[in-house]
Amino acid sequence: MPVLIEWFLLIRPEKISWLRFILEGYDGLAILSTLAADRGLVRIQTLDCNMAATMRLLAALAEQLSLFSSPQTINP
């Protein structure tokens, strides 16, 4: 029997609806609920059988969703 897994993320507040749109495109993959829009706090829910695919998708999108910018390399 499938088990529901949920976890919480802090993402850029302006990316919440974009991420919801992306997840809706993968019918049944995961559900996003906004908990605090001003802070970018969201809850992701997915079934255990979809967990790996959901994590791969989030990993691919992480740079656009992150609250923190990645370190920049400066070439002299």
Side-chain angles (χ1 to χ4, degrees):
M1 174 174 283
V3 175
L4 182 67
I5 298 172
E6 70 176 18
W7 68 98
F8 304 89
L9 297 174
L10 278 174
I11 64 173
R12 294 180 187 185
E14 67 272 14
K15 294 292 187 172
I16 293 173
S17 29
W18 177 77
L19 180 56
R20 178 175 284 120
F21 176 77
I22 296 294
L23 290 174
E24 287 174 356
Y26 290 85
D27 194 32
L29 182 65
I31 299 170
L32 181 138
S33 302
T34 304
L35 302 177
D38 60 325
R39 294 185 0 233
L41 179 60
V42 297
R43 177 180 58 211
I44 306 282
Q45 296 176 305
T46 191
L47 296 176
D48 58 344
C49 57
N50 292 332
M51 181 71 174
T54 302
M55 293 307 289
R56 282 192 304 271
L57 177 61
L58 291 174
L61 301 174
E63 189 173 322
Q64 289 121 10
L65 297 173
S66 176
L67 288 172
F68 310 102
S69 59
S70 58
Q72 299 295 316
T73 303
I74 299 173
N75 295 322

